[in-house]
Amino acid sequence: MTTKVIDLRSDTVTLPNTEMREAMYRAEVGDDVFGEDPTVNRLESDAAVLVGKEAALFVPSGTMGNLAAVLTHTARGHAVILDSEAHIFYYEAGGSCLVGGVQLWPVSGLHSPEGLLNFKKALRPENLHFAPAKLLCLENTHNRGGGTILKPEAQNAFFEAARKSGLSVHLDGARIFHAAIALNCPVTDLTRSCDSVMFCLSKGLGAPAGSILAGSASFIQAARRYRKLLGGGMRQAGMLAAAGLIALKHIPHLSEDHRRALRLAQGLSGLPGLKVSPFPPPTNIIIINIENTGLSSPEFVSSLQSYGVKAIAFGENLVRMVTHRDISDSDIDWTLKAVEGLCTKILKQQ
Ligand SMILES: Cc1ncc(COP(=O)(O)O)c(C=O)c1O
């Protein structure tokens, strides 16, 4: 048993650092529902410029940002096309259906090389039997895909095809800066052509809470009303926006998380019973197939915790680890030793 804990469950587990806490303490604030919080206003205008959009909206979470986007782009009875493993479909409590009254239309392999073809096949002609598709949602990087990246050319091909069929495009860019850093391209290459983009300040970038939804001025004006409807009007939210402004400064350092993810994945791949896929990990998310250990993923995760490492069960035989700003090189060494210890013990028992 150990008291040291290395938390690789998600990049949401980061704690605000001293610089952030000081900025939060000193933040100039006002009532943001009246548009009077100068720190929120600054974050929103900086964020809009950053992703090449006219306007942006500070929201409490990525889930709310995505839902406000779906509500703004669609009306009840519309269909929304997205990947069958998309966060909006998989992990957002069915909010689009419950609150927006839309039909989520999942397409498998939307982010695979056949994705564009699959999207085109999913489009159906106008017919009174069908819910009309009004929105395509893409996810970059793709969380359940293992942090995989859609390159600008691939994204643009989707945008073009969607527009031709009268669909708007929302980009769930919770980790869009991870994609831009890994591709070594300006983030605007990935965000310019979509109608709206959501990105998270509280993943990887280290803010305690908050996401940004960005789009045209008229889109954001409409989304602002939905944020209020969803209970996301936060009054003196400048305390959180101040942390968000510091978080934006962390973007260039995401390459460190990618470097550590690669080292971790290389080490894990050499251990008995483990297979990392995709390998090498494109960004900061590592998916490990543990089928050959004979343990279920919840069993593996709970055994690993007794070695001081937290990971997350991500499917029947899959375990996910995510590197983030609170994970150091020595944490990676420790993790590899812990997993090796567990795998050796399992092997002895077989
Ligand atoms: C791709 C993606 N989109 C959206 C979200 C939702 O963000 P939040 O947890 O802030 O609601 C997440 C969270 O992990 C995510 O990975």
Side-chain angles (χ1 to χ4, degrees):
M1 273 300 202
T2 174
T3 49
K4 185 177 167 85
V5 176
I6 294 166
D7 197 342
L8 292 160
R9 285 172 301 167
S10 173
D11 45 9
T12 57
V13 301
T14 55
L15 300 178
N17 63 14
T18 309
E19 188 187 8
M20 255 176 208
R21 287 169 193 260
E22 280 174 358
M24 292 171 82
Y25 176 72
R26 288 179 213 294
E28 239 191 295
V29 294
D31 190 324
D32 180 49
V33 176
F34 292 129
E36 293 170 3
D37 189 301
T39 312
V40 172
N41 292 343
R42 184 147 68 87
L43 174 64
E44 289 180 346
S45 64
D46 285 7
V49 171
L50 191 62
V51 294
K53 297 287 176 209
E54 281 177 356
L57 181 69
F58 183 47
V59 287
S61 67
T63 300
M64 190 184 286
N66 282 335
L67 181 51
V70 170
L71 291 169
T72 309
H73 284 297
T74 63
R76 291 181 75 76
H78 285 161
V80 175
I81 299 181
L82 75 185
D83 189 89
S84 50
E85 300 277 317
H87 199 276
I88 293 176
F89 182 60
Y90 213 96
Y91 288 124
E92 298 189 6
S96 298
C97 308
L98 181 68
V99 186
V102 296
Q103 182 182 43
L104 291 181
W105 191 266
V107 173
S108 45
L110 197 67
H111 295 90
S112 73
E114 298 76 42
L116 187 62
L117 198 65
N118 295 352
F119 167 59
K120 287 181 179 166
K121 278 192 207 153
L123 288 168
R124 297 181 301 174
E126 209 175 298
N127 181 305
L128 63 84
H129 295 87
F130 304 148
K134 290 289 174 198
L135 181 65
L136 165 68
C137 291
L138 297 176
E139 189 177 306
N140 204 3
T141 63
H142 184 28
N143 183 347
R144 288 194 58 82
T148 44
I149 299 170
L150 265 178
K151 292 189 177 153
E153 313 81 78
Q155 270 198 184
N156 289 337
F158 274 113
F159 296 150
E160 214 175 290
R163 288 232 164 88
K164 264 195 198 145
S165 305
L167 273 71
S168 301
V169 182
H170 170 66
L171 180 60
D172 177 349
R175 298 180 183 80
I176 196 68
F177 296 108
H178 293 81
I181 290 285
L183 292 171
N184 195 21
C185 72
V187 73
T188 45
D189 285 3
L190 296 163
T191 56
R192 200 181 291 118
S193 311
C194 59
D195 296 287
S196 58
V197 55
M198 183 284 291
F199 71 82
C200 292
L201 299 157
S202 59
K203 309 201 162 66
L205 300 181
S211 292
I212 294 288
L213 177 62
S216 68
S218 59
F219 174 86
I220 291 301
Q221 194 185 353
R224 197 173 286 280
R225 197 174 72 82
Y226 283 118
R227 183 186 70 174
K228 185 74 183 113
L229 178 152
L230 297 171
M234 290 192 291
R235 309 299 176 183
Q236 286 73 35
M239 307 274 292
L240 289 170
L245 284 162
I246 303 292
L248 294 180
K249 295 203 284 180
H250 188 69
I251 293 168
H253 302 292
L254 293 175
S255 56
E256 288 293 292
D257 299 343
H258 298 167
R259 181 180 61 73
R260 292 192 178 108
L262 176 61
R263 213 160 68 74
L264 181 55
Q266 283 166 335
L268 291 171
S269 304
L271 297 178
L274 304 188
K275 192 166 171 273
V276 174
S277 179
F279 185 88
T283 51
N284 67 328
I285 298 177
I286 298 163
I287 311 279
I288 313 154
N289 188 315
I290 51 104
E291 191 175 2
N292 291 339
T293 64
L295 296 189
S296 70
S297 44
E299 283 165 348
F300 187 91
V301 163
S302 98
S303 307
L304 189 57
Q305 190 155 347
S306 62
Y307 286 78
V309 175
K310 287 187 182 179
I312 219 164
F314 211 54
E316 210 185 328
N317 298 310
L318 303 177
V319 169
R320 188 188 76 168
M321 291 184 179
V322 186
T323 54
H324 52 76
R325 61 183 283 169
D326 290 354
I327 295 294
S328 65
D329 286 328
S330 63
D331 291 336
I332 300 292
D333 293 337
W334 176 284
T335 301
L336 287 172
K337 278 203 192 97
V339 183
E340 188 177 4
L342 174 60
C343 290
T344 310
K345 185 172 156 203
I346 295 167
L347 215 64
K348 272 191 198 146
Q349 286 166 351
Q350 279 170 353

